[in-house]
């Protein structure tokens, strides 16, 4: 068992790594800014740090690239930091470090709705504006939430797709991300309600968690098929999970028999759509989500908005957006990808 001193040392080490990573990213951007502007504007540029659930996740690589594009457009400084694994409190040291370094704004996809709140509120008290995107915290511990789509809309599109694909009858299962993921759990609760109200012949027999890890999600898919031999469909509302499930199904006897849908990116899912493993799936554009979040962070940091309902701000190529109830800003509705349109997209 770890002693208190050992745990303290481990946390301190993580914080030091976060500090070094953030300092490295910030210095790189500051140097670039100085080169472009004669070194005079680097200190006044809006600094924005993106903190995804975990690094190495293709979804967040795309969303954060959108954020970086926006930051470059408005002449700010950009950094990306984060943990290797999507654990509830793994983001805490990165938040603490960013606040200590005086970052103007952070854009966070929260691994847990409450575990980050103490650190976020300390950062806000220190002057750092906090925008959540993709997965929210409790509304009282952030300034804005950039919502990719309404929870109802995301749940409905996945229910509509899977029930159509299985003929509106039979057993289905859900392969989610982490058990504590705020967005995943909200979508799953709504999917359960919609299935019960509108699809009485469809039975949800299991909900399992792949922890947003490729191999774990792959193994969970295999277990679902073993545990439920009459399974007709799987819904995976996570880009890591749906790709891993497709990879398993594509080489199994269940290919074309067990239908799969969920939330994925075109580049992850293209081969599986073309080989018949997957008929269709849904998502928004994660690059647009990160792009919008970065402009929202700038508007907050520059004092153009406070995050109050009715506030409006410009988001570059995306146009004007208005803050809704509970400090939420809606990107738009989900989009369905299939064989007819998947080659029109590259992310």
């Amino acid at each position: 068992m770890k002693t208190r001193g050992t745990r303290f040392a481990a946390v301190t080490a993580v914080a030091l790594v976060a500090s070094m990573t953030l300092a490295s990213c910030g210095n790189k951007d500051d140097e670039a800014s100085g080169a472009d502007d004669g070194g005079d504007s680097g200190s006044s540029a809006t600094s924005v740090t993106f903190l995804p659930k975990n690094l190495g996740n293709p979804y967040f690589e795309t969303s954060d690239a959108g954020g970086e594009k926006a930051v470059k457009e408005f002449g700010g400084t950009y950094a990306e930091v984060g943990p290797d694994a999507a654990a509830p409190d793994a983001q805490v040291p990165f938040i603490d470090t960013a606040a200590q370094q005086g970052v103007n704004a952070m854009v966070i996809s929260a691994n847990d709705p409450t575990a980050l709140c103490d650190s976020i509120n300390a950062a806000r008290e220190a002057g750092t504006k906090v925008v959540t995107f993709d997965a929210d915290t409790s509304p009282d511990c952030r300034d804005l939430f950039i919502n990719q789509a309404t929870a109802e809309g995301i749940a409905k599109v996945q229910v509509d797709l899977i029930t159509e694909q299985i003929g509106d009858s039979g057993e289905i299962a859900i392969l989610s991300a982490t058990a504590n993921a705020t967005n995943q759990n909200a979508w799953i609760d709504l999917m359960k309600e919609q299935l019960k109200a509108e699809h009485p012949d469809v039975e949800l027999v299991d909900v399992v968690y792949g922890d947003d890890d490729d191999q774990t999600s792959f193994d969970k898919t295999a277990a679902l098929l073993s545990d439920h031999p009459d399974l007709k469909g799987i819904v995976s509302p996570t880009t890591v999970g749906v790709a891993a499930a497709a990879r398993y199904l594509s080489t199994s006897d269940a290919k074309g028999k067990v239908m799969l849908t969920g939330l994925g990116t075109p580049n992850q899912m293209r081969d599986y759509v073309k080989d018949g493993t997957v008929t269709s799936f849904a998502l928004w554009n994660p690059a647009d989500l990160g792009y919008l979040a970065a402009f929202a962070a700038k508007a907050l940091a520059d004092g153009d908005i406070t995050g109050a309902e009715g506030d409006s701000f410009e988001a570059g190529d995306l146009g004007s957006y208005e803050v809704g109830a509970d400090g939420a800003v809606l990107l738009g509705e989900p989009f369905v990808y299939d064989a007819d349109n998947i080659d029109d997209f590259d992310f």
Side-chain angles (χ1 to χ4, degrees):
M1 181 175 69
K2 292 183 178 180
T3 67
R4 181 179 179 183
T6 303
R7 289 195 298 271
F8 177 79
V11 171
T12 302
V14 172
L16 179 59
V17 171
S19 178
M20 293 173 64
T21 302
L22 183 56
S24 173
C25 293
N27 289 340
K28 180 179 178 181
D29 286 330
D30 288 345
E31 290 167 6
S33 178
D36 291 340
D37 302 313
D40 294 329
S41 63
S43 61
S44 62
T46 304
S47 55
V48 182
T49 294
F50 272 67
L51 175 55
K53 289 180 180 177
N54 60 302
L55 298 178
N57 183 323
Y59 172 86
F60 289 114
E61 290 174 353
T62 301
S63 64
D64 291 7
E68 183 176 18
K69 178 176 183 288
V71 173
K72 287 181 177 178
E73 286 183 11
F74 60 68
T77 59
Y78 169 88
E80 182 197 50
V81 298
D84 292 328
D89 59 356
Q91 295 166 305
V92 166
F94 297 96
I95 298 168
D96 295 343
T97 299
Q100 291 163 7
Q101 294 190 341
V103 170
N104 297 135
M106 293 198 75
V107 178
I108 303 171
S109 179
N111 277 321
D112 187 277
T114 58
L116 309 180
C117 284
D118 287 347
S119 288
I120 288 176
N121 283 329
R124 293 168 72 198
E125 290 173 4
T128 298
K129 300 298 183 181
V130 176
V131 175
T132 55
F133 80 130
D134 177 69
D136 198 10
T137 59
S138 298
D140 59 353
C141 64
R142 45 77 171 163
D143 296 295
L144 280 180
F145 170 49
I146 309 302
N147 194 356
Q148 54 269 46
T150 64
E152 292 79 7
I154 295 168
K156 185 177 188 305
V157 71
Q158 293 178 94
V159 168
D160 288 349
L161 288 174
I162 196 63
T163 54
E164 179 182 358
Q165 291 169 17
I166 68 170
D168 208 19
S169 176
E171 295 182 357
I172 66 169
I174 293 174
L175 169 63
S176 188
T178 61
N180 293 322
T182 313
N183 53 351
Q184 303 281 323
N185 290 335
W187 300 336
I188 291 169
D189 287 343
L190 287 165
M191 281 192 276
K192 289 177 178 178
E193 292 177 8
Q194 292 173 13
L195 286 167
K196 183 178 180 180
E198 302 172 19
H199 305 278
D201 295 327
V202 177
E203 182 183 3
L204 177 61
V205 294
D206 210 347
V207 178
V208 298
Y209 302 93
D211 296 332
D212 256 354
D213 176 79
D214 176 76
Q215 188 59 50
T216 303
S217 299
F218 183 91
D219 294 341
K220 292 288 187 177
T221 304
L224 281 174
L225 297 180
S226 175
D227 293 343
H228 306 284
D230 295 326
L231 197 67
K232 292 182 65 175
I234 298 172
V235 179
S236 187
T238 160
T239 57
V240 175
V242 75
R247 181 163 61 90
Y248 180 86
L249 289 173
S250 67
T251 58
S252 77
D253 293 338
K255 177 181 176 181
K257 300 174 183 177
V258 175
M259 308 307 295
L260 171 67
T261 194
L263 303 179
T265 68
N267 288 352
Q268 284 179 301
M269 302 301 291
R270 182 172 287 106
D271 289 346
Y272 303 120
V273 169
K274 291 189 173 184
D275 73 6
T277 302
V278 174
T279 300
S280 57
F281 62 96
L283 198 65
W284 44 93
N285 187 333
D288 284 349
L289 186 67
Y291 185 91
L292 176 58
F295 270 100
K298 173 179 169 55
L300 284 166
D302 292 355
D304 297 334
I305 61 173
T306 64
E309 184 173 358
D311 277 354
S312 63
F313 63 96
E314 294 298 320
D317 294 339
L318 294 179
S320 180
Y321 280 80
E322 183 172 308
V323 179
D326 294 324
V329 178
L330 179 63
L331 175 64
E333 292 298 319
F335 184 85
V336 175
Y337 301 87
D338 57 26
D340 292 333
N341 63 27
I342 197 166
D343 283 336
D344 295 336
F345 301 91
D346 184 18
F347 67 89

mmCIF file of all heavy atoms in Angstrom, residues 228-253:
data_model
loop_
_atom_site.group_PDB
_atom_site.id
_atom_site.type_symbol
_atom_site.label_atom_id
_atom_site.label_comp_id
_atom_site.label_asym_id
_atom_site.label_seq_id
_atom_site.Cartn_x
_atom_site.Cartn_y
_atom_site.Cartn_z
ATOM 1 N N HIS A 228 -23.933 -12.477 -24.998
ATOM 2 C CA HIS A 228 -25.282 -12.285 -25.553
ATOM 3 C C HIS A 228 -25.333 -12.828 -26.978
ATOM 4 O O HIS A 228 -25.236 -12.077 -27.959
ATOM 5 C CB HIS A 228 -25.662 -10.800 -25.524
ATOM 6 C CG HIS A 228 -25.535 -10.163 -24.181
ATOM 7 N ND1 HIS A 228 -26.459 -10.360 -23.169
ATOM 8 C CD2 HIS A 228 -24.572 -9.347 -23.658
ATOM 9 C CE1 HIS A 228 -26.088 -9.680 -22.095
ATOM 10 N NE2 HIS A 228 -24.954 -9.065 -22.370
ATOM 11 N N PRO A 229 -25.491 -14.137 -27.120
ATOM 12 C CA PRO A 229 -25.441 -14.758 -28.455
ATOM 13 C C PRO A 229 -26.549 -14.292 -29.397
ATOM 14 O O PRO A 229 -26.415 -14.462 -30.612
ATOM 15 C CB PRO A 229 -25.566 -16.254 -28.144
ATOM 16 C CG PRO A 229 -26.139 -16.333 -26.763
ATOM 17 C CD PRO A 229 -25.650 -15.134 -26.044
ATOM 18 N N ASP A 230 -27.624 -13.707 -28.850
ATOM 19 C CA ASP A 230 -28.712 -13.223 -29.709
ATOM 20 C C ASP A 230 -28.614 -11.720 -29.996
ATOM 21 O O ASP A 230 -29.546 -11.117 -30.534
ATOM 22 C CB ASP A 230 -30.071 -13.512 -29.055
ATOM 23 C CG ASP A 230 -30.350 -14.997 -28.933
ATOM 24 O OD1 ASP A 230 -29.919 -15.759 -29.828
ATOM 25 O OD2 ASP A 230 -30.986 -15.405 -27.939
ATOM 26 N N LEU A 231 -27.485 -11.144 -29.657
ATOM 27 C CA LEU A 231 -27.299 -9.699 -29.845
ATOM 28 C C LEU A 231 -27.424 -9.328 -31.325
ATOM 29 O O LEU A 231 -26.825 -9.959 -32.195
ATOM 30 C CB LEU A 231 -25.925 -9.293 -29.321
ATOM 31 C CG LEU A 231 -25.695 -7.802 -29.062
ATOM 32 C CD1 LEU A 231 -26.559 -7.320 -27.902
ATOM 33 C CD2 LEU A 231 -24.216 -7.538 -28.762
ATOM 34 N N LYS A 232 -28.194 -8.266 -31.588
ATOM 35 C CA LYS A 232 -28.381 -7.814 -32.961
ATOM 36 C C LYS A 232 -27.707 -6.478 -33.246
ATOM 37 O O LYS A 232 -27.525 -6.124 -34.421
ATOM 38 C CB LYS A 232 -29.877 -7.703 -33.286
ATOM 39 C CG LYS A 232 -30.600 -9.036 -33.337
ATOM 40 C CD LYS A 232 -32.063 -8.861 -33.706
ATOM 41 C CE LYS A 232 -32.253 -8.327 -35.111
ATOM 42 N NZ LYS A 232 -33.693 -8.264 -35.500
ATOM 43 N N GLY A 233 -27.345 -5.732 -32.198
ATOM 44 C CA GLY A 233 -26.745 -4.435 -32.453
ATOM 45 C C GLY A 233 -25.968 -3.897 -31.271
ATOM 46 O O GLY A 233 -26.239 -4.242 -30.111
ATOM 47 N N ILE A 234 -24.990 -3.040 -31.571
ATOM 48 C CA ILE A 234 -24.185 -2.356 -30.555
ATOM 49 C C ILE A 234 -24.183 -0.864 -30.873
ATOM 50 O O ILE A 234 -23.990 -0.467 -32.023
ATOM 51 C CB ILE A 234 -22.741 -2.882 -30.528
ATOM 52 C CG1 ILE A 234 -22.701 -4.369 -30.168
ATOM 53 C CG2 ILE A 234 -21.889 -2.076 -29.546
ATOM 54 C CD1 ILE A 234 -21.314 -4.994 -30.306
ATOM 55 N N VAL A 235 -24.383 -0.061 -29.848
ATOM 56 C CA VAL A 235 -24.242 1.389 -29.961
ATOM 57 C C VAL A 235 -23.035 1.788 -29.128
ATOM 58 O O VAL A 235 -22.957 1.454 -27.942
ATOM 59 C CB VAL A 235 -25.492 2.126 -29.443
ATOM 60 C CG1 VAL A 235 -25.298 3.631 -29.566
ATOM 61 C CG2 VAL A 235 -26.738 1.684 -30.190
ATOM 62 N N SER A 236 -22.103 2.509 -29.744
ATOM 63 C CA SER A 236 -20.923 2.964 -29.017
ATOM 64 C C SER A 236 -20.794 4.479 -29.172
ATOM 65 O O SER A 236 -20.294 4.964 -30.190
ATOM 66 C CB SER A 236 -19.659 2.268 -29.530
ATOM 67 O OG SER A 236 -18.549 2.599 -28.723
ATOM 68 N N PRO A 237 -21.225 5.237 -28.157
ATOM 69 C CA PRO A 237 -21.215 6.697 -28.260
ATOM 70 C C PRO A 237 -19.864 7.311 -27.916
ATOM 71 O O PRO A 237 -19.768 8.302 -27.199
ATOM 72 C CB PRO A 237 -22.287 7.097 -27.242
ATOM 73 C CG PRO A 237 -22.222 6.044 -26.197
ATOM 74 C CD PRO A 237 -21.862 4.768 -26.913
ATOM 75 N N THR A 238 -18.801 6.706 -28.410
ATOM 76 C CA THR A 238 -17.437 7.169 -28.174
ATOM 77 C C THR A 238 -16.587 6.793 -29.375
ATOM 78 O O THR A 238 -16.659 5.654 -29.865
ATOM 79 C CB THR A 238 -16.841 6.546 -26.901
ATOM 80 O OG1 THR A 238 -15.406 6.637 -26.943
ATOM 81 C CG2 THR A 238 -17.230 5.094 -26.740
ATOM 82 N N THR A 239 -15.777 7.706 -29.861
ATOM 83 C CA THR A 239 -15.029 7.466 -31.086
ATOM 84 C C THR A 239 -14.021 6.330 -30.937
ATOM 85 O O THR A 239 -13.794 5.565 -31.876
ATOM 86 C CB THR A 239 -14.294 8.738 -31.526
ATOM 87 O OG1 THR A 239 -13.437 9.198 -30.475
ATOM 88 C CG2 THR A 239 -15.274 9.847 -31.872
ATOM 89 N N VAL A 240 -13.413 6.212 -29.763
ATOM 90 C CA VAL A 240 -12.480 5.116 -29.537
ATOM 91 C C VAL A 240 -13.225 3.782 -29.529
ATOM 92 O O VAL A 240 -12.814 2.808 -30.166
ATOM 93 C CB VAL A 240 -11.722 5.305 -28.214
ATOM 94 C CG1 VAL A 240 -10.843 4.090 -27.911
ATOM 95 C CG2 VAL A 240 -10.861 6.564 -28.274
ATOM 96 N N GLY A 241 -14.343 3.750 -28.833
ATOM 97 C CA GLY A 241 -15.103 2.517 -28.709
ATOM 98 C C GLY A 241 -15.678 2.023 -30.015
ATOM 99 O O GLY A 241 -15.607 0.830 -30.333
ATOM 100 N N VAL A 242 -16.274 2.918 -30.797
ATOM 101 C CA VAL A 242 -16.928 2.474 -32.032
ATOM 102 C C VAL A 242 -15.894 1.960 -33.031
ATOM 103 O O VAL A 242 -16.151 0.989 -33.763
ATOM 104 C CB VAL A 242 -17.803 3.608 -32.631
ATOM 105 C CG1 VAL A 242 -16.963 4.688 -33.290
ATOM 106 C CG2 VAL A 242 -18.837 3.042 -33.605
ATOM 107 N N ALA A 243 -14.711 2.574 -33.083
ATOM 108 C CA ALA A 243 -13.669 2.100 -33.991
ATOM 109 C C ALA A 243 -13.132 0.744 -33.552
ATOM 110 O O ALA A 243 -12.877 -0.136 -34.381
ATOM 111 C CB ALA A 243 -12.547 3.125 -34.077
ATOM 112 N N ALA A 244 -12.956 0.561 -32.244
ATOM 113 C CA ALA A 244 -12.462 -0.720 -31.729
ATOM 114 C C ALA A 244 -13.488 -1.824 -31.953
ATOM 115 O O ALA A 244 -13.135 -2.951 -32.328
ATOM 116 C CB ALA A 244 -12.136 -0.597 -30.247
ATOM 117 N N ALA A 245 -14.772 -1.503 -31.744
ATOM 118 C CA ALA A 245 -15.821 -2.483 -31.980
ATOM 119 C C ALA A 245 -15.886 -2.863 -33.454
ATOM 120 O O ALA A 245 -16.069 -4.038 -33.799
ATOM 121 C CB ALA A 245 -17.165 -1.924 -31.502
ATOM 122 N N ALA A 246 -15.735 -1.876 -34.323
ATOM 123 C CA ALA A 246 -15.747 -2.152 -35.761
ATOM 124 C C ALA A 246 -14.567 -3.037 -36.151
ATOM 125 O O ALA A 246 -14.698 -3.947 -36.989
ATOM 126 C CB ALA A 246 -15.713 -0.839 -36.540
ATOM 127 N N ARG A 247 -13.424 -2.768 -35.558
ATOM 128 C CA ARG A 247 -12.240 -3.587 -35.850
ATOM 129 C C ARG A 247 -12.478 -5.039 -35.461
ATOM 130 O O ARG A 247 -12.093 -5.968 -36.199
ATOM 131 C CB ARG A 247 -11.037 -3.012 -35.095
ATOM 132 C CG ARG A 247 -9.725 -3.755 -35.326
ATOM 133 C CD ARG A 247 -8.530 -2.907 -34.907
ATOM 134 N NE ARG A 247 -8.574 -2.566 -33.495
ATOM 135 C CZ ARG A 247 -8.040 -3.298 -32.533
ATOM 136 N NH1 ARG A 247 -7.445 -4.453 -32.827
ATOM 137 N NH2 ARG A 247 -8.092 -2.917 -31.270
ATOM 138 N N TYR A 248 -13.123 -5.253 -34.308
ATOM 139 C CA TYR A 248 -13.410 -6.631 -33.901
ATOM 140 C C TYR A 248 -14.434 -7.285 -34.847
ATOM 141 O O TYR A 248 -14.224 -8.402 -35.341
ATOM 142 C CB TYR A 248 -13.941 -6.671 -32.473
ATOM 143 C CG TYR A 248 -14.256 -8.085 -32.028
ATOM 144 C CD1 TYR A 248 -13.255 -8.881 -31.490
ATOM 145 C CD2 TYR A 248 -15.531 -8.628 -32.205
ATOM 146 C CE1 TYR A 248 -13.518 -10.204 -31.126
ATOM 147 C CE2 TYR A 248 -15.797 -9.936 -31.848
ATOM 148 C CZ TYR A 248 -14.797 -10.723 -31.315
ATOM 149 O OH TYR A 248 -15.053 -12.030 -30.973
ATOM 150 N N LEU A 249 -15.517 -6.585 -35.092
ATOM 151 C CA LEU A 249 -16.590 -7.155 -35.918
ATOM 152 C C LEU A 249 -16.120 -7.443 -37.343
ATOM 153 O O LEU A 249 -16.572 -8.411 -37.968
ATOM 154 C CB LEU A 249 -17.785 -6.205 -35.955
ATOM 155 C CG LEU A 249 -18.593 -6.067 -34.664
ATOM 156 C CD1 LEU A 249 -19.628 -4.965 -34.806
ATOM 157 C CD2 LEU A 249 -19.269 -7.395 -34.294
ATOM 158 N N SER A 250 -15.214 -6.628 -37.858
ATOM 159 C CA SER A 250 -14.816 -6.743 -39.270
ATOM 160 C C SER A 250 -14.154 -8.074 -39.595
ATOM 161 O O SER A 250 -14.166 -8.504 -40.749
ATOM 162 C CB SER A 250 -13.877 -5.592 -39.642
ATOM 163 O OG SER A 250 -12.638 -5.706 -38.961
ATOM 164 N N THR A 251 -13.585 -8.747 -38.601
ATOM 165 C CA THR A 251 -12.920 -10.033 -38.839
ATOM 166 C C THR A 251 -13.611 -11.182 -38.109
ATOM 167 O O THR A 251 -13.041 -12.267 -37.996
ATOM 168 C CB THR A 251 -11.441 -9.958 -38.397
ATOM 169 O OG1 THR A 251 -11.368 -9.613 -37.017
ATOM 170 C CG2 THR A 251 -10.693 -8.911 -39.214
ATOM 171 N N SER A 252 -14.822 -10.936 -37.632
ATOM 172 C CA SER A 252 -15.543 -11.975 -36.887
ATOM 173 C C SER A 252 -16.715 -12.504 -37.703
ATOM 174 O O SER A 252 -17.115 -11.917 -38.725
ATOM 175 C CB SER A 252 -16.065 -11.407 -35.564
ATOM 176 O OG SER A 252 -17.214 -10.610 -35.797
ATOM 177 N N ASP A 253 -17.279 -13.619 -37.229
ATOM 178 C CA ASP A 253 -18.458 -14.191 -37.876
ATOM 179 C C ASP A 253 -19.677 -13.296 -37.730
ATOM 180 O O ASP A 253 -20.669 -13.473 -38.432
ATOM 181 C CB ASP A 253 -18.775 -15.568 -37.281
ATOM 182 C CG ASP A 253 -17.703 -16.609 -37.610
ATOM 183 O OD1 ASP A 253 -16.974 -16.393 -38.601
ATOM 184 O OD2 ASP A 253 -17.587 -17.597 -36.868
#
